[in-house]
Amino acid sequence: MATLKEVQLKISGVKKTKQITSAMKMVATSRLRGAQLAMEAFRPYAEKYAEVLGSLAQKAGEGASPLLEAREEVKKVHVVLLTSDRGLCGGFNINLIQKAEKLIKEKVGEGAEVSFTNFGKRGRDWARKEGQTRADEYVGVVGTKVGFGVASTGGQKLIDGFLAGEYDEVYLIYAEFVSMARQVPVVQQLLPIPPIEVVEEEAAEDKPFQAEHICEPSADKLLGEMLPRNVYIQLYRGLLETSTSEHAARMSAMDNATQACSDMITDLQRVYNKARQAAITADLMDIVGGAEALKG
């Protein structure tokens, strides 16, 4: 059985760990609120933008922009992987990396080469370790107050690479925030911009009404401005979703760690009480034995 001093040291160490995990949980909670507000404020804009873009693309017809045209052969696939810069957030980063590995396996099986742009240290370190081709990296972005300039800069590089023939397809992997307890890894095609489904009149009875948009100037000219911005918007939305998901995952992980520390302290306190009682019993037996020896 462990000595009283050893048990006391263990209890002291676990209490200090509990203080750290509790503090990290509070920090994650405070950051989560701001990130969630920014994400929820941007979602309606991104959805309405996609609606208007789909209407314009329908009017402009096929061949309106090279960003809409799919390549006949897909030989080069580029993946934008969004992860966190820091750990201690449970399986958050592992789930995103596993999603990337699944996509790599699928595309390599189709005969394509895969390269990466990494947002976040965890994804960058994984890509380095696995020897993946990396075109660009952004560190210190996810988990902070994300600016739209970061998305526009990164998005423009992706567009330039696609138009120059460096990439045939571009995919975005991010964590979609569903709830405080659920963050889902998502794969989204960025380039070529996938067609937005148009509701057929026969099946539109149960669908929400889609407004007819009047264009000035022409739909073709508007698409030239709106299609690149759509890439920025989707990337920016992914950054906001991933940042919010990271804070939620870390808050949940630190809450579980704090509870585990409390359970450990309870168990160690029982061990301490048993050891203390055993020591007291041994002392009493020595005293009684000495008293009996004096009587004899």
Side-chain angles (χ1 to χ4, degrees), residues 67 78 80 115-119 135-139 149-167 169-170 190-191 228 231-232 235:
L67 297 181
H78 193 69
V80 183
S115 58
F116 279 87
T117 291
N118 295 114
F119 283 80
D136 206 355
E137 65 179 50
Y138 299 84
V139 175
V150 176
S152 60
T153 300
Q156 188 59 52
K157 290 182 180 180
L158 297 174
I159 292 173
D160 294 341
F162 179 77
L163 295 178
E166 297 175 9
Y167 318 131
E169 287 181 347
V170 179
L190 283 182
L191 293 169
V231 177
Y232 311 158
L235 181 55

PDB file of all heavy atoms in Angstrom, residues 67 78 80 115-119 135-139 149-167 169-170 190-191 228 231-232 235:
ATOM      1  N   LEU A  67     -14.527  28.903 -64.180  1.00  0.00           N
ATOM      2  CA  LEU A  67     -14.617  28.379 -62.816  1.00  0.00           C
ATOM      3  C   LEU A  67     -15.773  27.393 -62.659  1.00  0.00           C
ATOM      4  O   LEU A  67     -15.856  26.691 -61.653  1.00  0.00           O
ATOM      5  CB  LEU A  67     -14.794  29.527 -61.818  1.00  0.00           C
ATOM      6  CG  LEU A  67     -13.656  30.538 -61.729  1.00  0.00           C
ATOM      7  CD1 LEU A  67     -13.967  31.605 -60.680  1.00  0.00           C
ATOM      8  CD2 LEU A  67     -12.350  29.847 -61.390  1.00  0.00           C
ATOM      9  N   HIS A  78      -6.358  19.179 -55.393  1.00  0.00           N
ATOM     10  CA  HIS A  78      -5.819  19.979 -54.291  1.00  0.00           C
ATOM     11  C   HIS A  78      -6.820  19.990 -53.148  1.00  0.00           C
ATOM     12  O   HIS A  78      -8.025  20.163 -53.365  1.00  0.00           O
ATOM     13  CB  HIS A  78      -5.535  21.413 -54.753  1.00  0.00           C
ATOM     14  CG  HIS A  78      -4.712  22.198 -53.787  1.00  0.00           C
ATOM     15  ND1 HIS A  78      -3.389  21.934 -53.550  1.00  0.00           N
ATOM     16  CD2 HIS A  78      -5.029  23.238 -52.984  1.00  0.00           C
ATOM     17  CE1 HIS A  78      -2.910  22.782 -52.664  1.00  0.00           C
ATOM     18  NE2 HIS A  78      -3.893  23.580 -52.295  1.00  0.00           N
ATOM     19  N   VAL A  80      -7.784  21.582 -49.347  1.00  0.00           N
ATOM     20  CA  VAL A  80      -7.592  22.606 -48.318  1.00  0.00           C
ATOM     21  C   VAL A  80      -8.084  22.000 -47.009  1.00  0.00           C
ATOM     22  O   VAL A  80      -9.281  21.788 -46.826  1.00  0.00           O
ATOM     23  CB  VAL A  80      -8.365  23.894 -48.649  1.00  0.00           C
ATOM     24  CG1 VAL A  80      -8.093  24.959 -47.594  1.00  0.00           C
ATOM     25  CG2 VAL A  80      -7.990  24.402 -50.037  1.00  0.00           C
ATOM     26  N   SER A 115      -2.382  17.261 -53.545  1.00  0.00           N
ATOM     27  CA  SER A 115      -1.553  18.234 -52.829  1.00  0.00           C
ATOM     28  C   SER A 115      -2.425  18.948 -51.807  1.00  0.00           C
ATOM     29  O   SER A 115      -3.651  18.852 -51.839  1.00  0.00           O
ATOM     30  CB  SER A 115      -0.926  19.238 -53.799  1.00  0.00           C
ATOM     31  OG  SER A 115      -1.929  19.912 -54.543  1.00  0.00           O
ATOM     32  N   PHE A 116      -1.769  19.691 -50.891  1.00  0.00           N
ATOM     33  CA  PHE A 116      -2.485  20.266 -49.754  1.00  0.00           C
ATOM     34  C   PHE A 116      -2.164  21.748 -49.555  1.00  0.00           C
ATOM     35  O   PHE A 116      -1.056  22.205 -49.841  1.00  0.00           O
ATOM     36  CB  PHE A 116      -2.124  19.521 -48.460  1.00  0.00           C
ATOM     37  CG  PHE A 116      -2.877  18.241 -48.260  1.00  0.00           C
ATOM     38  CD1 PHE A 116      -2.411  17.063 -48.805  1.00  0.00           C
ATOM     39  CD2 PHE A 116      -4.059  18.215 -47.542  1.00  0.00           C
ATOM     40  CE1 PHE A 116      -3.096  15.880 -48.640  1.00  0.00           C
ATOM     41  CE2 PHE A 116      -4.754  17.036 -47.365  1.00  0.00           C
ATOM     42  CZ  PHE A 116      -4.274  15.863 -47.909  1.00  0.00           C
ATOM     43  N   THR A 117      -3.172  22.457 -49.056  1.00  0.00           N
ATOM     44  CA  THR A 117      -3.005  23.745 -48.386  1.00  0.00           C
ATOM     45  C   THR A 117      -3.511  23.554 -46.971  1.00  0.00           C
ATOM     46  O   THR A 117      -4.646  23.117 -46.777  1.00  0.00           O
ATOM     47  CB  THR A 117      -3.793  24.873 -49.083  1.00  0.00           C
ATOM     48  OG1 THR A 117      -3.197  25.157 -50.345  1.00  0.00           O
ATOM     49  CG2 THR A 117      -3.788  26.144 -48.233  1.00  0.00           C
ATOM     50  N   ASN A 118      -2.669  23.849 -45.993  1.00  0.00           N
ATOM     51  CA  ASN A 118      -3.015  23.585 -44.588  1.00  0.00           C
ATOM     52  C   ASN A 118      -3.321  24.872 -43.844  1.00  0.00           C
ATOM     53  O   ASN A 118      -2.550  25.828 -43.890  1.00  0.00           O
ATOM     54  CB  ASN A 118      -1.875  22.861 -43.878  1.00  0.00           C
ATOM     55  CG  ASN A 118      -1.621  21.470 -44.430  1.00  0.00           C
ATOM     56  OD1 ASN A 118      -0.582  21.207 -44.997  1.00  0.00           O
ATOM     57  ND2 ASN A 118      -2.584  20.578 -44.278  1.00  0.00           N
ATOM     58  N   PHE A 119      -4.453  24.885 -43.168  1.00  0.00           N
ATOM     59  CA  PHE A 119      -4.787  25.920 -42.200  1.00  0.00           C
ATOM     60  C   PHE A 119      -4.723  25.255 -40.827  1.00  0.00           C
ATOM     61  O   PHE A 119      -5.541  24.386 -40.519  1.00  0.00           O
ATOM     62  CB  PHE A 119      -6.190  26.476 -42.442  1.00  0.00           C
ATOM     63  CG  PHE A 119      -6.286  27.438 -43.592  1.00  0.00           C
ATOM     64  CD1 PHE A 119      -6.360  26.979 -44.895  1.00  0.00           C
ATOM     65  CD2 PHE A 119      -6.303  28.808 -43.373  1.00  0.00           C
ATOM     66  CE1 PHE A 119      -6.454  27.850 -45.957  1.00  0.00           C
ATOM     67  CE2 PHE A 119      -6.400  29.702 -44.424  1.00  0.00           C
ATOM     68  CZ  PHE A 119      -6.474  29.220 -45.728  1.00  0.00           C
ATOM     69  N   ALA A 135       1.349  22.929 -50.856  1.00  0.00           N
ATOM     70  CA  ALA A 135       1.503  24.134 -51.660  1.00  0.00           C
ATOM     71  C   ALA A 135       1.570  25.388 -50.801  1.00  0.00           C
ATOM     72  O   ALA A 135       2.272  26.341 -51.129  1.00  0.00           O
ATOM     73  CB  ALA A 135       0.349  24.255 -52.655  1.00  0.00           C
ATOM     74  N   ASP A 136       0.844  25.395 -49.688  1.00  0.00           N
ATOM     75  CA  ASP A 136       0.788  26.600 -48.854  1.00  0.00           C
ATOM     76  C   ASP A 136       0.341  26.211 -47.455  1.00  0.00           C
ATOM     77  O   ASP A 136      -0.232  25.133 -47.243  1.00  0.00           O
ATOM     78  CB  ASP A 136      -0.187  27.610 -49.447  1.00  0.00           C
ATOM     79  CG  ASP A 136       0.151  29.044 -49.052  1.00  0.00           C
ATOM     80  OD1 ASP A 136       1.092  29.229 -48.238  1.00  0.00           O
ATOM     81  OD2 ASP A 136      -0.514  29.966 -49.543  1.00  0.00           O
ATOM     82  N   GLU A 137       0.597  27.085 -46.488  1.00  0.00           N
ATOM     83  CA  GLU A 137       0.169  26.840 -45.116  1.00  0.00           C
ATOM     84  C   GLU A 137      -0.139  28.161 -44.428  1.00  0.00           C
ATOM     85  O   GLU A 137       0.457  29.200 -44.736  1.00  0.00           O
ATOM     86  CB  GLU A 137       1.235  26.083 -44.327  1.00  0.00           C
ATOM     87  CG  GLU A 137       2.526  26.845 -44.116  1.00  0.00           C
ATOM     88  CD  GLU A 137       3.546  26.041 -43.309  1.00  0.00           C
ATOM     89  OE1 GLU A 137       3.785  24.871 -43.659  1.00  0.00           O
ATOM     90  OE2 GLU A 137       4.097  26.608 -42.344  1.00  0.00           O
ATOM     91  N   TYR A 138      -1.103  28.107 -43.512  1.00  0.00           N
ATOM     92  CA  TYR A 138      -1.520  29.271 -42.731  1.00  0.00           C
ATOM     93  C   TYR A 138      -1.598  28.834 -41.272  1.00  0.00           C
ATOM     94  O   TYR A 138      -2.388  27.946 -40.930  1.00  0.00           O
ATOM     95  CB  TYR A 138      -2.882  29.796 -43.204  1.00  0.00           C
ATOM     96  CG  TYR A 138      -2.902  30.257 -44.642  1.00  0.00           C
ATOM     97  CD1 TYR A 138      -3.099  29.341 -45.680  1.00  0.00           C
ATOM     98  CD2 TYR A 138      -2.710  31.592 -44.967  1.00  0.00           C
ATOM     99  CE1 TYR A 138      -3.113  29.748 -47.003  1.00  0.00           C
ATOM    100  CE2 TYR A 138      -2.729  32.019 -46.292  1.00  0.00           C
ATOM    101  CZ  TYR A 138      -2.933  31.081 -47.298  1.00  0.00           C
ATOM    102  OH  TYR A 138      -2.935  31.495 -48.606  1.00  0.00           O
ATOM    103  N   VAL A 139      -0.798  29.450 -40.430  1.00  0.00           N
ATOM    104  CA  VAL A 139      -0.726  29.090 -39.016  1.00  0.00           C
ATOM    105  C   VAL A 139      -1.215  30.272 -38.182  1.00  0.00           C
ATOM    106  O   VAL A 139      -0.961  31.433 -38.515  1.00  0.00           O
ATOM    107  CB  VAL A 139       0.717  28.706 -38.620  1.00  0.00           C
ATOM    108  CG1 VAL A 139       0.813  28.455 -37.122  1.00  0.00           C
ATOM    109  CG2 VAL A 139       1.169  27.469 -39.388  1.00  0.00           C
ATOM    110  N   GLY A 149     -10.043  38.797 -45.003  1.00  0.00           N
ATOM    111  CA  GLY A 149      -8.867  38.946 -45.853  1.00  0.00           C
ATOM    112  C   GLY A 149      -8.062  37.663 -45.973  1.00  0.00           C
ATOM    113  O   GLY A 149      -7.458  37.393 -47.021  1.00  0.00           O
ATOM    114  N   VAL A 150      -8.048  36.871 -44.908  1.00  0.00           N
ATOM    115  CA  VAL A 150      -7.327  35.592 -44.956  1.00  0.00           C
ATOM    116  C   VAL A 150      -7.971  34.668 -45.982  1.00  0.00           C
ATOM    117  O   VAL A 150      -7.288  34.015 -46.788  1.00  0.00           O
ATOM    118  CB  VAL A 150      -7.320  34.926 -43.565  1.00  0.00           C
ATOM    119  CG1 VAL A 150      -6.664  33.555 -43.624  1.00  0.00           C
ATOM    120  CG2 VAL A 150      -6.605  35.803 -42.557  1.00  0.00           C
ATOM    121  N   ALA A 151      -9.305  34.619 -45.977  1.00  0.00           N
ATOM    122  CA  ALA A 151     -10.021  33.758 -46.921  1.00  0.00           C
ATOM    123  C   ALA A 151      -9.873  34.252 -48.352  1.00  0.00           C
ATOM    124  O   ALA A 151      -9.712  33.449 -49.278  1.00  0.00           O
ATOM    125  CB  ALA A 151     -11.495  33.682 -46.531  1.00  0.00           C
ATOM    126  N   SER A 152      -9.925  35.562 -48.558  1.00  0.00           N
ATOM    127  CA  SER A 152      -9.794  36.096 -49.918  1.00  0.00           C
ATOM    128  C   SER A 152      -8.393  35.870 -50.475  1.00  0.00           C
ATOM    129  O   SER A 152      -8.226  35.550 -51.649  1.00  0.00           O
ATOM    130  CB  SER A 152     -10.143  37.586 -49.935  1.00  0.00           C
ATOM    131  OG  SER A 152      -9.282  38.314 -49.088  1.00  0.00           O
ATOM    132  N   THR A 153      -7.377  36.021 -49.622  1.00  0.00           N
ATOM    133  CA  THR A 153      -6.005  35.781 -50.075  1.00  0.00           C
ATOM    134  C   THR A 153      -5.797  34.312 -50.435  1.00  0.00           C
ATOM    135  O   THR A 153      -5.277  33.983 -51.511  1.00  0.00           O
ATOM    136  CB  THR A 153      -5.000  36.184 -48.985  1.00  0.00           C
ATOM    137  OG1 THR A 153      -5.160  37.573 -48.681  1.00  0.00           O
ATOM    138  CG2 THR A 153      -3.574  35.938 -49.443  1.00  0.00           C
ATOM    139  N   GLY A 154      -6.200  33.428 -49.522  1.00  0.00           N
ATOM    140  CA  GLY A 154      -6.070  32.000 -49.798  1.00  0.00           C
ATOM    141  C   GLY A 154      -6.932  31.555 -50.960  1.00  0.00           C
ATOM    142  O   GLY A 154      -6.503  30.733 -51.787  1.00  0.00           O
ATOM    143  N   GLY A 155      -8.150  32.090 -51.060  1.00  0.00           N
ATOM    144  CA  GLY A 155      -9.047  31.716 -52.145  1.00  0.00           C
ATOM    145  C   GLY A 155      -8.538  32.147 -53.504  1.00  0.00           C
ATOM    146  O   GLY A 155      -8.677  31.418 -54.489  1.00  0.00           O
ATOM    147  N   GLN A 156      -7.920  33.336 -53.575  1.00  0.00           N
ATOM    148  CA  GLN A 156      -7.391  33.813 -54.849  1.00  0.00           C
ATOM    149  C   GLN A 156      -6.244  32.935 -55.338  1.00  0.00           C
ATOM    150  O   GLN A 156      -6.110  32.678 -56.542  1.00  0.00           O
ATOM    151  CB  GLN A 156      -6.922  35.264 -54.709  1.00  0.00           C
ATOM    152  CG  GLN A 156      -6.538  35.916 -56.030  1.00  0.00           C
ATOM    153  CD  GLN A 156      -7.688  35.932 -57.022  1.00  0.00           C
ATOM    154  OE1 GLN A 156      -8.789  36.378 -56.699  1.00  0.00           O
ATOM    155  NE2 GLN A 156      -7.458  35.433 -58.226  1.00  0.00           N
ATOM    156  N   LYS A 157      -5.430  32.444 -54.411  1.00  0.00           N
ATOM    157  CA  LYS A 157      -4.347  31.527 -54.797  1.00  0.00           C
ATOM    158  C   LYS A 157      -4.925  30.233 -55.364  1.00  0.00           C
ATOM    159  O   LYS A 157      -4.383  29.678 -56.339  1.00  0.00           O
ATOM    160  CB  LYS A 157      -3.459  31.223 -53.585  1.00  0.00           C
ATOM    161  CG  LYS A 157      -2.611  32.396 -53.123  1.00  0.00           C
ATOM    162  CD  LYS A 157      -1.733  31.994 -51.946  1.00  0.00           C
ATOM    163  CE  LYS A 157      -0.873  33.158 -51.482  1.00  0.00           C
ATOM    164  NZ  LYS A 157      -0.003  32.791 -50.325  1.00  0.00           N
ATOM    165  N   LEU A 158      -6.007  29.756 -54.776  1.00  0.00           N
ATOM    166  CA  LEU A 158      -6.647  28.544 -55.285  1.00  0.00           C
ATOM    167  C   LEU A 158      -7.218  28.772 -56.682  1.00  0.00           C
ATOM    168  O   LEU A 158      -7.092  27.910 -57.568  1.00  0.00           O
ATOM    169  CB  LEU A 158      -7.749  28.098 -54.330  1.00  0.00           C
ATOM    170  CG  LEU A 158      -7.320  27.706 -52.913  1.00  0.00           C
ATOM    171  CD1 LEU A 158      -8.542  27.428 -52.046  1.00  0.00           C
ATOM    172  CD2 LEU A 158      -6.400  26.497 -52.936  1.00  0.00           C
ATOM    173  N   ILE A 159      -7.835  29.925 -56.888  1.00  0.00           N
ATOM    174  CA  ILE A 159      -8.412  30.244 -58.201  1.00  0.00           C
ATOM    175  C   ILE A 159      -7.310  30.358 -59.252  1.00  0.00           C
ATOM    176  O   ILE A 159      -7.426  29.825 -60.362  1.00  0.00           O
ATOM    177  CB  ILE A 159      -9.235  31.544 -58.118  1.00  0.00           C
ATOM    178  CG1 ILE A 159     -10.485  31.320 -57.256  1.00  0.00           C
ATOM    179  CG2 ILE A 159      -9.630  32.026 -59.507  1.00  0.00           C
ATOM    180  CD1 ILE A 159     -11.264  32.580 -56.972  1.00  0.00           C
ATOM    181  N   ASP A 160      -6.226  31.045 -58.907  1.00  0.00           N
ATOM    182  CA  ASP A 160      -5.113  31.191 -59.842  1.00  0.00           C
ATOM    183  C   ASP A 160      -4.526  29.828 -60.218  1.00  0.00           C
ATOM    184  O   ASP A 160      -4.211  29.578 -61.394  1.00  0.00           O
ATOM    185  CB  ASP A 160      -4.021  32.084 -59.234  1.00  0.00           C
ATOM    186  CG  ASP A 160      -4.483  33.525 -59.049  1.00  0.00           C
ATOM    187  OD1 ASP A 160      -5.468  33.911 -59.704  1.00  0.00           O
ATOM    188  OD2 ASP A 160      -3.862  34.250 -58.243  1.00  0.00           O
ATOM    189  N   GLY A 161      -4.375  28.955 -59.212  1.00  0.00           N
ATOM    190  CA  GLY A 161      -3.855  27.622 -59.488  1.00  0.00           C
ATOM    191  C   GLY A 161      -4.791  26.808 -60.370  1.00  0.00           C
ATOM    192  O   GLY A 161      -4.345  26.069 -61.256  1.00  0.00           O
ATOM    193  N   PHE A 162      -6.091  26.960 -60.164  1.00  0.00           N
ATOM    194  CA  PHE A 162      -7.069  26.229 -60.975  1.00  0.00           C
ATOM    195  C   PHE A 162      -7.066  26.731 -62.412  1.00  0.00           C
ATOM    196  O   PHE A 162      -7.073  25.930 -63.365  1.00  0.00           O
ATOM    197  CB  PHE A 162      -8.458  26.383 -60.354  1.00  0.00           C
ATOM    198  CG  PHE A 162      -9.554  25.696 -61.117  1.00  0.00           C
ATOM    199  CD1 PHE A 162      -9.722  24.319 -61.023  1.00  0.00           C
ATOM    200  CD2 PHE A 162     -10.412  26.420 -61.926  1.00  0.00           C
ATOM    201  CE1 PHE A 162     -10.729  23.677 -61.733  1.00  0.00           C
ATOM    202  CE2 PHE A 162     -11.432  25.790 -62.634  1.00  0.00           C
ATOM    203  CZ  PHE A 162     -11.593  24.414 -62.539  1.00  0.00           C
ATOM    204  N   LEU A 163      -7.054  28.040 -62.601  1.00  0.00           N
ATOM    205  CA  LEU A 163      -7.067  28.604 -63.952  1.00  0.00           C
ATOM    206  C   LEU A 163      -5.771  28.313 -64.699  1.00  0.00           C
ATOM    207  O   LEU A 163      -5.768  28.189 -65.931  1.00  0.00           O
ATOM    208  CB  LEU A 163      -7.315  30.114 -63.885  1.00  0.00           C
ATOM    209  CG  LEU A 163      -8.687  30.551 -63.340  1.00  0.00           C
ATOM    210  CD1 LEU A 163      -8.778  32.064 -63.272  1.00  0.00           C
ATOM    211  CD2 LEU A 163      -9.810  29.991 -64.214  1.00  0.00           C
ATOM    212  N   ALA A 164      -4.655  28.218 -63.945  1.00  0.00           N
ATOM    213  CA  ALA A 164      -3.363  27.931 -64.581  1.00  0.00           C
ATOM    214  C   ALA A 164      -3.169  26.452 -64.885  1.00  0.00           C
ATOM    215  O   ALA A 164      -2.155  26.072 -65.478  1.00  0.00           O
ATOM    216  CB  ALA A 164      -2.228  28.426 -63.680  1.00  0.00           C
ATOM    217  N   GLY A 165      -4.116  25.621 -64.475  1.00  0.00           N
ATOM    218  CA  GLY A 165      -4.012  24.193 -64.746  1.00  0.00           C
ATOM    219  C   GLY A 165      -3.208  23.425 -63.719  1.00  0.00           C
ATOM    220  O   GLY A 165      -2.925  22.235 -63.917  1.00  0.00           O
ATOM    221  N   GLU A 166      -2.837  24.086 -62.606  1.00  0.00           N
ATOM    222  CA  GLU A 166      -2.098  23.384 -61.557  1.00  0.00           C
ATOM    223  C   GLU A 166      -3.000  22.416 -60.801  1.00  0.00           C
ATOM    224  O   GLU A 166      -2.525  21.404 -60.278  1.00  0.00           O
ATOM    225  CB  GLU A 166      -1.493  24.398 -60.591  1.00  0.00           C
ATOM    226  CG  GLU A 166      -0.473  25.331 -61.230  1.00  0.00           C
ATOM    227  CD  GLU A 166       0.016  26.393 -60.262  1.00  0.00           C
ATOM    228  OE1 GLU A 166      -0.319  26.284 -59.056  1.00  0.00           O
ATOM    229  OE2 GLU A 166       0.719  27.314 -60.693  1.00  0.00           O
ATOM    230  N   TYR A 167      -4.295  22.735 -60.712  1.00  0.00           N
ATOM    231  CA  TYR A 167      -5.269  21.877 -60.053  1.00  0.00           C
ATOM    232  C   TYR A 167      -6.430  21.637 -61.005  1.00  0.00           C
ATOM    233  O   TYR A 167      -6.887  22.548 -61.700  1.00  0.00           O
ATOM    234  CB  TYR A 167      -5.812  22.507 -58.766  1.00  0.00           C
ATOM    235  CG  TYR A 167      -4.789  23.185 -57.899  1.00  0.00           C
ATOM    236  CD1 TYR A 167      -4.993  24.476 -57.412  1.00  0.00           C
ATOM    237  CD2 TYR A 167      -3.599  22.551 -57.552  1.00  0.00           C
ATOM    238  CE1 TYR A 167      -4.059  25.107 -56.609  1.00  0.00           C
ATOM    239  CE2 TYR A 167      -2.657  23.171 -56.756  1.00  0.00           C
ATOM    240  CZ  TYR A 167      -2.899  24.459 -56.298  1.00  0.00           C
ATOM    241  OH  TYR A 167      -1.960  25.078 -55.511  1.00  0.00           O
ATOM    242  N   GLU A 169      -9.177  19.875 -59.628  1.00  0.00           N
ATOM    243  CA  GLU A 169     -10.260  19.983 -58.662  1.00  0.00           C
ATOM    244  C   GLU A 169      -9.684  20.484 -57.346  1.00  0.00           C
ATOM    245  O   GLU A 169      -8.536  20.173 -56.999  1.00  0.00           O
ATOM    246  CB  GLU A 169     -10.952  18.634 -58.421  1.00  0.00           C
ATOM    247  CG  GLU A 169     -11.832  18.161 -59.556  1.00  0.00           C
ATOM    248  CD  GLU A 169     -12.507  16.825 -59.254  1.00  0.00           C
ATOM    249  OE1 GLU A 169     -12.101  16.168 -58.280  1.00  0.00           O
ATOM    250  OE2 GLU A 169     -13.441  16.449 -59.996  1.00  0.00           O
ATOM    251  N   VAL A 170     -10.489  21.235 -56.607  1.00  0.00           N
ATOM    252  CA  VAL A 170     -10.088  21.741 -55.288  1.00  0.00           C
ATOM    253  C   VAL A 170     -11.195  21.395 -54.296  1.00  0.00           C
ATOM    254  O   VAL A 170     -12.379  21.683 -54.544  1.00  0.00           O
ATOM    255  CB  VAL A 170      -9.845  23.267 -55.303  1.00  0.00           C
ATOM    256  CG1 VAL A 170      -9.468  23.755 -53.913  1.00  0.00           C
ATOM    257  CG2 VAL A 170      -8.756  23.634 -56.302  1.00  0.00           C
ATOM    258  N   LEU A 190     -14.732  22.986 -53.908  1.00  0.00           N
ATOM    259  CA  LEU A 190     -14.639  24.421 -54.147  1.00  0.00           C
ATOM    260  C   LEU A 190     -14.539  24.756 -55.625  1.00  0.00           C
ATOM    261  O   LEU A 190     -15.191  25.672 -56.112  1.00  0.00           O
ATOM    262  CB  LEU A 190     -13.419  24.996 -53.410  1.00  0.00           C
ATOM    263  CG  LEU A 190     -13.518  25.218 -51.902  1.00  0.00           C
ATOM    264  CD1 LEU A 190     -12.238  25.842 -51.379  1.00  0.00           C
ATOM    265  CD2 LEU A 190     -14.707  26.099 -51.549  1.00  0.00           C
ATOM    266  N   LEU A 191     -13.679  24.026 -56.346  1.00  0.00           N
ATOM    267  CA  LEU A 191     -13.444  24.281 -57.759  1.00  0.00           C
ATOM    268  C   LEU A 191     -13.356  22.953 -58.505  1.00  0.00           C
ATOM    269  O   LEU A 191     -12.729  22.010 -58.002  1.00  0.00           O
ATOM    270  CB  LEU A 191     -12.145  25.074 -57.947  1.00  0.00           C
ATOM    271  CG  LEU A 191     -12.146  26.512 -57.419  1.00  0.00           C
ATOM    272  CD1 LEU A 191     -10.737  27.068 -57.416  1.00  0.00           C
ATOM    273  CD2 LEU A 191     -13.067  27.397 -58.258  1.00  0.00           C
ATOM    274  N   PRO A 228     -15.613  34.233 -58.222  1.00  0.00           N
ATOM    275  CA  PRO A 228     -14.436  34.202 -57.346  1.00  0.00           C
ATOM    276  C   PRO A 228     -14.781  34.497 -55.890  1.00  0.00           C
ATOM    277  O   PRO A 228     -14.226  33.875 -54.982  1.00  0.00           O
ATOM    278  CB  PRO A 228     -13.529  35.295 -57.930  1.00  0.00           C
ATOM    279  CG  PRO A 228     -13.963  35.430 -59.343  1.00  0.00           C
ATOM    280  CD  PRO A 228     -15.436  35.191 -59.327  1.00  0.00           C
ATOM    281  N   VAL A 231     -15.873  31.534 -53.855  1.00  0.00           N
ATOM    282  CA  VAL A 231     -14.800  30.703 -53.305  1.00  0.00           C
ATOM    283  C   VAL A 231     -14.328  31.297 -51.980  1.00  0.00           C
ATOM    284  O   VAL A 231     -14.108  30.574 -51.001  1.00  0.00           O
ATOM    285  CB  VAL A 231     -13.631  30.595 -54.296  1.00  0.00           C
ATOM    286  CG1 VAL A 231     -12.474  29.787 -53.695  1.00  0.00           C
ATOM    287  CG2 VAL A 231     -14.087  29.935 -55.597  1.00  0.00           C
ATOM    288  N   TYR A 232     -14.169  32.631 -51.941  1.00  0.00           N
ATOM    289  CA  TYR A 232     -13.750  33.278 -50.689  1.00  0.00           C
ATOM    290  C   TYR A 232     -14.775  33.024 -49.579  1.00  0.00           C
ATOM    291  O   TYR A 232     -14.408  32.744 -48.429  1.00  0.00           O
ATOM    292  CB  TYR A 232     -13.609  34.793 -50.870  1.00  0.00           C
ATOM    293  CG  TYR A 232     -12.811  35.246 -52.056  1.00  0.00           C
ATOM    294  CD1 TYR A 232     -12.977  36.526 -52.593  1.00  0.00           C
ATOM    295  CD2 TYR A 232     -11.867  34.412 -52.661  1.00  0.00           C
ATOM    296  CE1 TYR A 232     -12.249  36.956 -53.680  1.00  0.00           C
ATOM    297  CE2 TYR A 232     -11.134  34.841 -53.754  1.00  0.00           C
ATOM    298  CZ  TYR A 232     -11.332  36.114 -54.258  1.00  0.00           C
ATOM    299  OH  TYR A 232     -10.604  36.536 -55.343  1.00  0.00           O
ATOM    300  N   LEU A 235     -14.718  29.421 -48.264  1.00  0.00           N
ATOM    301  CA  LEU A 235     -13.523  29.213 -47.443  1.00  0.00           C
ATOM    302  C   LEU A 235     -13.671  29.937 -46.103  1.00  0.00           C
ATOM    303  O   LEU A 235     -13.313  29.382 -45.044  1.00  0.00           O
ATOM    304  CB  LEU A 235     -12.292  29.711 -48.186  1.00  0.00           C
ATOM    305  CG  LEU A 235     -10.935  29.546 -47.476  1.00  0.00           C
ATOM    306  CD1 LEU A 235     -10.689  28.103 -47.066  1.00  0.00           C
ATOM    307  CD2 LEU A 235      -9.801  30.047 -48.368  1.00  0.00           C
TER     308      LEU A 235
END
